[in-house]
Each structure stands twice: as C-alpha cells, then as structure tokens.
Amino acid sequence: MKRFLCFKAVLISLLLSSVQQLTASDWTLASQKFTFSQKGLDKTSSRQIADVLPKLILEQISSQAIRTLPSKELMDRELNDLQTERLSLFLQLAKENKTRDALVLSKEKPSQLRKALEEEDKKIREIESKIDANIQSLLEVKNKYEKKIAFESGQKTFDENAEDKERFPFPFFKHENHDERTTETVVLYKNDSSQLFSPSQDALNDGIKSFTYNKEVTQAKINGLLTGQITVYGEYLSVSVSLYLFPGASLNAVVTEVGSTSDLITIARNVVRNLTPKIANCLPVKIKVVIEPEEARSTALLNVDGVIAGEKDELVVDAGIHTITVSADGYESQTINYAFSGEDFFTLKTTLKPLVTGTFELSLKKMNQGTFFFNAMENVSVDEENQKARASVNGRPVLAVFTDKQGQSAFIFISEQLARNSKNLSVNVKPYDREQNIDKRRRMLYTAYSALICSLVPTFYCVGNFTAYNNSYVSGRASYDDVEKWQKYSYYSIGLSCASGAWFAIEVCRYLFAANEVLPADAKEKK
C-alpha cells in the first residue's frame, strides 16, 4: 500500500510538471525611443519621428505570434538566473563576515564568543557551499546546451548512438532531444504599443551591453528590445532597427529601411515584414492552395496579410498567424485567418461561390403601410399604391425588418434559396411591441401560478377533513351530515384547483407563443 501511495504521489507530481511545461509563457517585446545619427536633429521638428516610428513598428507587430526559443536564449536565461543568485549569495557572505568580525567587540566572555563564532562559521560555510554549487551548475548548464547550440548553428549533428535510447511507456517520461522546441507567445511591453521602454541615464551612458542596462531590461521582464538609429536628409530618412535579446543583450537582427518622412506607416510595415521572421525564429512553412471550381483558378488572386502573392498554387510564409484571402472574377471572396505553425506544410482548399446579383420583390400578405429594411443597407417604403418592395441579392440569406407608421417592428427572414433574382415573395408579419407582450404574458403566467399554489391550500384542508370524517363515520364516531358537508367542500376546492391548473397551463402556452413571436417570420414564394 505504501509503495502504491508513493508511486501515486510521484505520478501526480510528474503530471503537474508536465502541465506546467505545456502552459505557454509570454515573450515580451519592447522598444525604446530611437536616436539620430546626426547631431542637432533631436532638437528640431524631426525629433517626433524618433518617438512615433518605434510605436508604429510595435503597432504593426502581431502580439499573438509564436516564438520558437533557440537554445542559446534558453541558456542565457539560466545563466542570468545563476548570476543573480551568485550576487545575492555573495552579499549574504559579506554580511555574515562583517557580523563575525563584530562579535569580537560585542562578546565579553570567551565562551559566548566561541559559541557565536561557531554559529557564524556554520552560516558562512553554508553560503560558501551554495556558491560552489552555483558555480558547478554554471558548468552543467553550459554543457547541457553546448551540443544543442552547435546543432542549431549547423556546426555539428547529434550523435544518436551516444544518446540513451531507453524509453518509458508514458509520454512525460521521455528523454529530451534536439527535436523538442520551446515556444512562447509574443506580447508587447505593458500590452500597449504606445508604451516605450525608458532606461535610466546611467544605463544609456554605460551602453546596451553593460550590466546596468541588462539589469534594468530584465527587471522590466523584457525578452526582446528594439533600438533604432535614424538618418535624415531633406524629406527622406533611413532607419536601422536592431533587435537585442535579453538577458545577454545579444544582437539578433538588423533591418534597414529608407522612406519618406511623410509616410512613416509604410516604413514601419516594411521594417516589421523583415523583423517578423527573426521575432518568430522559426522556419518558413509551405501552403498548397487548391481552388475550386477550375474556372475560378485562371483569374484567382491570393492576398496574404494585405499583400498580393505572386504564386497561386503554393505559398511560402513565415510560421505564425496569417490572413489569406482568395478572390476571383465572378466569384465571392473567401478569407481565412489561421495560425500556420507546428508543421512545415499545409493544404488550404477553398470552394468559391459564384457571385449572385439581381433583385427580388417582397410584399405583405396583409397590406400595412410602412418601410422594409434589408440587411441594414437598403430601405423601401410600401403603401396602397406601391405594395412591393424591391431589394438586391448577393447569394446570401437576407434578414429584413418591417416597421409600420406607428413604429412597431417585425423581423423577416429570407432564405438563401428564395433570395434569388426575379423572385416574387410574400410574408405575413404582425408589427407590435413583442417585448411588452412577453412581459405581459409573463406577469399573467406568474399570476396563474400563484392562483394554482394558493388553491392547493383549501384543497388539501378540505380533502383531509373529508377523509378524516369519513373514517370517523365508518368507526361510528361522526355523523353522516358532517361527512356529506366536507365531501361537498372537497369537491368545490378540487374544482377550483383544477380550474387554476388549467389557467396556468393556458398561460404557459400563451407565454411560449409570445416568446416564439420574437423569431423572424419566414418569407414564402408568391404563387
């Protein structure tokens, strides 16, 4: 039993750790205010560009992209955590040594001094052992990621023969290998594209590679930082945007773009287009596009994230969320938004519907002066002289509303099969305040229910007395007149309860019918 409980505890802990590993964390991207390569520009009217341009770049970056973390970035994170721990331990060591030195002056008796020194020596030895373990962990982390970094950089391949080939029956027991990649969701600094990271003046003076700068960025929980340098000549500018990864301040990418100072949005989009693969840090994926019917393929156009693609049959895009629109002459456009990640090949099959055009006519079965509103886009008034409303069709169902002169409305639904060119349709609608009618029927329902409940009280009382007197009469303790009297009362009360029950059932049906009137009336083809 004890072994079973131990195994159960281990199993639960492994499951919990597996769930924690599957929970994706965030990869925070930030930008600081850009700088000018030319002196004096930061004091002119151009200084706003250094503040606006990084915000536009962050605004164009998808905050739901998925980043695949390289081994070097993971190693830098662990090394930074170990470094932070070592600094904390060293400060504790310095504090304990100063405390030990002060004991000589604070303790008068030799026995007290000896005991206090022994306690402080024990604390110092514990801290020193933790520092030694930290330094040992430093070497282990470097050895842990050495092969992976070499593999990802293409310097060497993994030796599968050197790996432990033992496998366990559960997936959370399997050994870590080079195919397993850690992913995180890209989010913006403070979840706001208008918020820029502002390092202190000391950090700026020391430089982005300094310990002070690295400390401020990591304390802000920033994983990627964009910096930029702007060069302006007349109405044109050149901007070089650099992506640094933290901790470590390693330069990951540099993108240079040239454009007009009056069109910063285009510059920001072009910068983001080149930065996105570096932010996602994943291989491109291929998307095979199958367009049906065949007649639509010759004129089909593919639009990927607002840019027309040159190829029709196969797309090559960076892994992540993309919006693809397929359009063709004479057919309705179709758009798909999907996260293309986790695989290197996708098949996108789309069947375009022919573009339907034309008009149909709709009239009321019982004439009533008012106005038809079709899909909140068209409105047509009807009266005794013009009894038919004409509306356009596009191959989709139509939701219409009819409003009479008193302002009462009723919804109308026209199915896709009826919303066709040259169709002559009619509908039977009753414009009235449905919300007010439902409230009225609900109040009547509650009243009938209350009457039913109240009627049960005298019914139970009278039926109970009748039963009691009848039993007493059989035993010879009650008169026949008393039995007859309570029998008559029980019949009256039962009748009252039955009437209340029937009233309640009627009000339930009326309430359901009133609620059902909210549904749109179906149009029918006029014969």
Side-chain angles (χ1 to χ4, degrees):
M1 185 65 180
K2 292 182 178 180
R3 292 181 180 179
F4 173 75
L5 292 175
C6 292
F7 175 76
K8 185 177 180 180
V10 172
L11 187 61
I12 292 174
S13 62
L14 288 170
L15 284 170
L16 291 175
S17 63
S18 300
V19 171
Q20 292 175 353
Q21 291 176 359
L22 291 173
T23 304
S25 55
D26 293 336
W27 191 87
T28 304
L29 177 68
S31 178
Q32 66 182 45
K33 186 177 180 180
F34 289 177
T35 59
F36 291 97
S37 60
Q38 301 142 303
K39 295 182 179 180
L41 283 179
D42 56 342
K43 299 179 181 180
T44 66
S45 59
S46 300
R47 66 180 181 272
Q48 292 185 353
I49 298 176
D51 183 71
V52 173
L53 189 55
K55 295 179 181 179
L56 291 175
I57 292 174
L58 291 177
E59 185 178 339
Q60 299 296 323
I61 294 176
S62 172
S63 60
Q64 295 301 319
I66 303 298
R67 173 173 173 80
T68 303
L69 299 182
S71 298
K72 186 178 184 307
E73 186 172 349
L74 295 173
M75 182 185 72
D76 289 339
R77 291 186 184 183
E78 294 191 26
L79 293 180
N80 182 74
D81 293 340
L82 291 174
Q83 183 186 36
T84 304
E85 183 184 4
R86 284 198 308 277
L87 292 174
S88 176
L89 290 173
F90 186 79
L91 292 176
Q92 296 178 34
L93 181 63
K95 176 185 175 182
E96 296 300 335
N97 275 281
K98 291 179 181 179
T99 302
R100 186 183 187 280
D101 295 339
L103 291 176
V104 179
L105 300 177
S106 61
K107 302 296 181 182
E108 297 179 357
K109 297 182 179 180
S111 59
Q112 294 179 348
L113 177 61
R114 191 182 313 108
K115 184 178 180 181
L117 288 175
E118 289 177 355
E119 293 178 355
E120 284 300 323
D121 289 338
K122 182 180 179 181
K123 293 180 180 179
I124 291 174
R125 285 194 300 271
E126 290 178 354
I127 296 175
E128 290 176 344
S129 63
K130 291 180 180 180
I131 295 178
D132 293 336
N134 184 288
I135 296 175
Q136 182 62 32
S137 299
L138 186 69
L139 299 176
E140 293 176 356
V141 169
K142 290 182 178 179
N143 294 332
K144 171 184 173 183
Y145 288 101
E146 180 181 2
K147 290 184 179 180
K148 294 184 178 182
I149 294 175
F151 172 76
E152 293 176 2
S153 62
Q155 298 177 8
K156 62 172 68 174
T157 59
F158 273 79
D159 183 8
E160 295 186 356
N161 294 326
E163 296 288 336
D164 184 6
K165 295 183 178 298
E166 184 181 5
R167 291 293 181 267
F168 291 90
F170 302 105
F172 43 80
F173 279 113
K174 67 180 181 181
H175 287 246
E176 184 178 345
N177 54 59
H178 62 278
D179 292 328
E180 295 175 346
R181 307 297 298 274
T182 303
T183 59
E184 292 180 348
T185 303
V186 178
V187 297
L188 299 182
Y189 177 58
K190 295 184 179 181
N191 293 319
D192 189 355
S193 60
S194 63
Q195 296 292 326
L196 300 180
F197 172 69
S198 300
S200 65
Q201 190 60 44
D202 292 338
L204 291 174
N205 295 336
D206 294 342
I208 197 169
K209 295 285 186 179
S210 65
F211 174 79
T212 305
Y213 206 107
N214 188 89
K215 181 180 179 181
E216 292 186 6
V217 174
T218 52
Q219 284 181 347
K221 297 182 179 180
I222 295 173
N223 304 108
L225 181 65
L226 298 177
T227 64
Q229 192 173 55
I230 304 173
T231 303
V232 180
Y233 289 105
E235 298 296 326
Y236 298 92
L237 63 84
S238 170
V239 57
S240 292
V241 181
S242 301
L243 172 62
Y244 288 91
L245 302 181
F246 287 87
S250 58
L251 181 61
N252 184 257
V254 178
V255 176
T256 302
E257 182 59 35
V258 176
S260 172
T261 55
S262 61
D263 192 7
L264 297 180
I265 294 180
T266 301
I267 297 176
R269 287 176 178 173
N270 293 336
V271 169
V272 170
R273 186 176 295 113
N274 291 280
L275 271 180
T276 299
K278 294 296 182 180
I279 295 175
N281 189 38
C282 51
L283 297 175
V285 297
K286 291 184 180 181
I287 305 174
K288 182 181 179 181
V289 183
V290 180
I291 302 175
E292 299 289 347
E294 295 185 2
E295 294 78 9
R297 297 179 187 175
S298 58
T299 60
L301 288 177
L302 298 182
N303 187 300
V304 181
D305 299 331
V307 180
I308 296 178
E311 299 293 333
K312 296 182 180 180
D313 299 329
E314 189 173 86
L315 302 174
V316 179
V317 298
D318 297 313
I321 301 175
H322 295 282
T323 302
I324 300 177
T325 302
V326 183
S327 59
D329 294 341
Y331 293 87
E332 297 181 15
S333 300
Q334 290 192 4
T335 301
I336 180 175
N337 192 306
Y338 189 76
F340 296 94
S341 60
E343 301 288 341
D344 56 2
F345 184 81
F346 292 86
T347 299
L348 175 61
K349 185 176 182 180
T350 177
T351 302
L352 300 181
K353 296 182 179 180
L355 191 62
V356 178
T357 58
T359 59
F360 67 89
E361 292 181 343
L362 179 64
S363 60
L364 295 172
K365 190 173 182 180
K366 184 178 181 180
M367 184 57 204
N368 190 1
Q369 188 174 351
T371 304
F372 283 101
F373 297 90
F374 298 98
N375 287 335
M377 298 176 62
E378 302 177 84
N379 62 86
V380 182
S381 299
V382 294
D383 51 28
E384 293 294 341
E385 296 182 359
N386 302 309
Q387 298 186 5
K388 294 184 178 181
R390 187 182 295 257
S392 59
V393 296
N394 57 4
R396 294 185 178 90
V398 177
L399 183 63
V401 179
F402 177 76
T403 304
D404 62 12
K405 293 180 63 177
Q406 288 73 33
Q408 307 291 343
S409 300
F411 287 93
I412 303 166
F413 177 75
I414 306 172
S415 64
E416 184 177 349
Q417 291 74 20
L418 295 178
R420 298 290 179 178
N421 186 33
S422 302
K423 286 285 187 179
N424 190 4
L425 309 176
S426 66
V427 63
N428 184 18
V429 294
K430 299 177 182 178
Y432 64 91
D433 192 339
R434 284 161 169 76
E435 182 180 358
Q436 183 180 1
N437 186 51
I438 291 175
D439 288 339
K440 178 182 177 181
R441 296 270 64 86
R442 182 169 57 246
R443 289 194 297 270
M444 294 301 297
L445 174 63
Y446 291 160
T447 303
Y449 178 73
S450 301
L452 174 61
I453 297 300
C454 292
S455 70
L456 295 177
V457 176
T459 299
F460 290 153
Y461 178 77
C462 294
V463 171
N465 277 340
F466 167 69
T467 303
Y469 275 96
N470 187 48
N471 294 334
S472 297
Y473 175 74
V474 173
S475 302
R477 294 192 302 270
S479 65
Y480 178 80
D481 292 338
D482 291 335
V483 175
E484 186 179 18
K485 180 183 67 172
W486 283 109
Q487 184 183 36
K488 185 185 303 183
Y489 289 162
S490 65
Y491 287 160
Y492 292 157
S493 60
I494 290 173
L496 178 62
S497 296
C498 290
S500 300
W503 183 26
F504 174 68
I506 293 173
E507 291 301 331
V508 168
C509 295
R510 298 180 71 181
Y511 175 76
L512 293 177
F513 279 122
N516 188 65
E517 287 295 318
V518 177
L519 299 175
D522 291 325
K524 297 181 180 180
E525 190 169 2
K526 197 172 184 180
K527 297 181 181 180

